[in-house]
Amino acid sequence: MLKNYFKIAIAVLKRRKFFTFISLFGISFTLTILMVLTAFIDKVVGDTYPDKKRDRSLYINRIQESGKDNLQSSTLSYYFLSHYTSMLKTPVKVAISSAFNGTNTYVNNKKIAVNYKYTNAEYWDVLDYDFTEGKAFNSQQVTNADRVAVISEDMKREYFGDAPSVVGKYIEADNVNYRVIGVVKNVPITDYMLYSDIYLPYTVSKANYKDKGYMGGYMGILLANSKGDVQKMRDEYENLMKRVPVERKEFTHLYSHANPFLSAYLDTGNEQHSGVSIALMAISVFVFIFTLLPTLNLININITRIMERSSEIGVRKAFGASSKTLVYQFIVENLILTLLGGVLGVALSLLALYLINNANLIANLELSINFTVLFIGLLVCLVFGLLSGVYPAWRMSKLNVVTALKAQ
């Protein structure tokens, strides 16, 4: 039966090639956009390099103080993170690092943009960077404020060219020379909490990391001993924050949370607005609008197709075909059309991702279609096919036999 439906569907597609082109274009183009979007989200949220212990980590990247008429929100100071997290008993390690800052340096009269960040020694224990050369700085080097640096592969290539090894060489950042002691694989800039070209000990920072103010340029990662300790660690930090006094009299409330990765990544900096909710709403609205328009267009095309086949419907009804059988046939035909558009959409998605990756629009961001993305794409195809096929099929089932035959 399905084989016959498939043959009929192919014959119908060949009969009106322009309508077929419009239908397939709408389906495949919509699917391509959705799959590229899904691949981007999957990469940004799902890629765990170098954050491979994410399932037992919590992230602190924001503090907010608010009063009746005032509100201020920022990343945290090194003092706040080191002082208060040292009171927690559950974390086995606390990684502290600054947000990355940009500067320019020159090599052979060539300007190179450099992003650098400061970290503590535990940062290298909590995160699992892949070292292609050398190693990370240790706590002794941090305490001594040694001018040492870990650099990314991209920075090595851009700054030192084709040099086989750069450990022991010097690199300049923010008008200071640092001795390179390690090279790590690149992190895409979309992972803003971990990305940098150069990693330096926080003790060499020109800013006063001993300042006891709450706000600064640092973020923290709490690492639990096991996944089972994560909630306990989160509760412990929440209880701790209830005991931390506000800094100044004009503020009445102080907020800071140790969140799972996604909540921290999408933190809006405002306690009243959840970044996760805003992101989900924005994505839902985008997907709804982007799929609604081609779906409505496909419904109209399908109705036109079906009305053109009213004589066929009338004959089949006259020979005893039930409305249920005809509805089933037209839905299957539409699903076949949609799946053909889906296959074309997957091919276009692969081409689009190849072009995006080669264009290097976002440094080190390599998009790909994985099984999750492929499953979502196929699911969208099926929903697409059902949505655009059910209503025209229902309209067709209501055709009277005599009316259908007269239409010829």
Side-chain angles (χ1 to χ4, degrees):
M1 184 67 74
L2 284 175
K3 185 177 179 181
N4 291 332
Y5 289 164
F6 182 79
K7 288 181 178 177
I8 295 172
I10 297 299
V12 171
L13 295 180
K14 289 180 178 177
R15 191 185 306 166
R16 297 297 298 270
K17 294 179 181 176
F18 179 71
F19 280 168
T20 300
F21 170 77
I22 295 295
S23 300
L24 290 178
F25 176 79
I27 295 168
S28 57
F29 180 73
T30 303
L31 188 61
T32 300
I33 297 297
L34 293 179
M35 291 193 74
V36 171
L37 174 66
T38 310
F40 179 78
I41 294 172
D42 181 68
K43 179 67 179 180
V44 170
V45 176
D47 188 5
T48 58
Y49 174 76
D51 193 11
K52 298 175 183 176
K53 305 184 187 83
R54 191 174 289 177
D55 59 344
R56 53 190 182 102
S57 299
L58 290 174
Y59 305 78
I60 307 168
N61 61 352
R62 188 69 57 180
I63 189 168
Q64 177 186 321
E65 289 185 289
S66 61
K68 185 178 179 180
D69 302 313
N70 299 311
L71 182 150
Q72 63 178 12
S73 176
S74 169
T75 47
L76 304 91
S77 67
Y78 184 86
Y79 167 80
F80 186 94
L81 284 167
S82 61
H83 178 71
Y84 286 106
T85 59
S86 67
M87 298 178 183
L88 302 176
K89 296 179 180 177
T90 309
V92 292
K93 293 279 184 180
V94 180
I96 301 176
S97 65
S98 70
F100 66 83
N101 295 295
T103 185
N104 292 322
T105 189
Y106 292 86
V107 178
N108 299 326
N109 295 322
K110 175 188 174 186
K111 186 173 78 173
I112 298 176
V114 175
N115 292 313
Y116 62 96
K117 71 187 303 174
Y118 301 105
T119 82
N120 63 356
E122 289 75 13
Y123 180 86
W124 302 101
D125 298 326
V126 174
L127 284 308
D128 293 313
Y129 285 84
D130 292 335
F131 279 81
T132 56
E133 283 185 53
K135 59 185 179 181
F137 40 81
N138 57 39
S139 58
Q140 189 61 52
Q141 289 171 310
V142 174
T143 303
N144 295 341
D146 289 348
R147 291 181 175 177
V148 292
V150 173
I151 66 175
S152 69
E153 286 184 318
D154 273 354
M155 183 51 39
K156 172 190 171 182
R157 182 171 54 255
E158 194 163 7
Y159 198 94
F160 296 103
D162 297 328
S165 175
V166 297
V167 170
K169 296 180 180 291
Y170 284 83
I171 188 170
E172 182 189 304
D174 205 16
N175 299 317
V176 177
N177 285 321
Y178 298 93
R179 180 168 57 88
V180 177
I181 61 170
V183 180
V184 294
K185 288 187 177 179
N186 300 317
V187 176
I189 196 170
T190 49
D191 196 350
Y192 69 92
M193 290 189 282
L194 308 177
Y195 161 81
S196 189
D197 297 316
I198 303 178
Y199 302 83
L200 305 167
Y202 73 89
T203 45
V204 302
S205 169
K206 294 177 181 177
N208 182 13
Y209 63 87
K210 297 179 180 178
D211 185 349
K212 295 186 177 180
Y214 289 176
M215 300 197 175
Y218 285 85
M219 299 170 282
I221 303 176
L222 307 179
L223 180 67
N225 189 46
S226 67
K227 289 191 285 185
D229 286 342
V230 171
Q231 187 57 48
K232 179 183 175 184
M233 188 164 67
R234 191 176 191 181
D235 294 340
E236 192 179 6
Y237 187 76
E238 292 293 324
N239 290 329
L240 171 68
M241 286 305 302
K242 293 176 183 175
R243 302 195 299 273
V244 178
V246 295
E247 276 188 291
R248 294 193 294 272
K249 293 181 180 179
E250 62 264 34
F251 298 121
T252 55
H253 294 86
L254 177 68
Y255 303 99
S256 180
H257 305 288
N259 286 320
F261 174 78
L262 185 60
S263 299
Y265 186 86
L266 297 173
D267 195 329
T268 62
N270 189 325
E271 189 71 13
Q272 305 302 320
H273 300 95
S274 166
V276 175
S277 299
I278 293 173
L280 286 177
M281 184 176 295
I283 292 171
S284 300
V285 169
F286 175 81
V287 171
F288 176 75
I289 293 175
F290 210 77
T291 55
L292 179 64
L293 294 178
T295 300
L296 291 175
N297 181 50
L298 195 57
I299 288 174
N300 287 329
I301 291 176
N302 284 338
I303 290 175
T304 304
R305 284 178 182 276
I306 289 175
M307 291 304 138
E308 285 182 339
R309 298 168 65 186
S310 56
S311 59
E312 173 195 335
I313 295 168
V315 170
R316 292 196 62 187
K317 280 194 168 186
F319 280 89
S322 67
S323 296
K324 183 179 177 181
T325 302
L326 293 171
V327 168
Y328 178 65
Q329 174 190 336
F330 279 95
I331 289 179
V332 171
E333 284 183 18
N334 204 57
L335 283 175
I336 291 170
L337 173 65
T338 308
L339 287 175
L340 287 175
V343 172
L344 191 58
V346 171
L348 289 176
S349 300
L350 289 170
L351 177 63
L353 294 179
Y354 172 80
L355 293 175
I356 291 172
N357 289 335
N358 280 278
N360 202 24
L361 297 176
I362 301 176
N364 304 318
L365 191 73
E366 190 78 15
L367 300 180
S368 62
I369 294 181
N370 60 25
F371 286 110
T372 303
V373 175
L374 191 59
F375 173 76
I376 292 173
L378 292 175
L379 188 64
V380 169
C381 271
L382 289 175
V383 173
F384 219 154
L386 285 173
L387 286 178
S388 59
V390 169
Y391 177 69
W394 176 80
R395 283 278 302 270
M396 174 275 304
S397 70
K398 298 298 180 184
L399 280 178
N400 181 276
V401 176
V402 177
T403 305
L405 290 173
K406 281 183 176 177
Q408 181 64 27

Coordinates of all heavy atoms in Angstrom, one line a residue, residues 172 230 370:
E172 N 54.4 39.2 24.5 CA 54.1 40.4 25.1 C 52.5 40.6 25.1 O 51.9 40.3 24.1 CB 54.7 41.6 24.4 CG 54.3 43.0 25.0 CD 54.8 44.1 24.1 OE1 56.0 44.2 23.7 OE2 53.9 44.9 23.8
V230 N 26.4 18.1 44.3 CA 26.2 19.4 43.7 C 25.1 20.2 44.3 O 25.2 21.4 44.6 CB 25.9 19.2 42.2 CG1 25.4 20.5 41.5 CG2 27.1 18.6 41.4
N370 N 25.1 16.5 14.6 CA 25.3 15.3 15.3 C 23.9 14.6 15.4 O 22.9 15.1 14.8 CB 25.8 15.5 16.7 CG 24.9 16.5 17.5 OD1 23.7 16.6 17.3 ND2 25.5 17.1 18.5

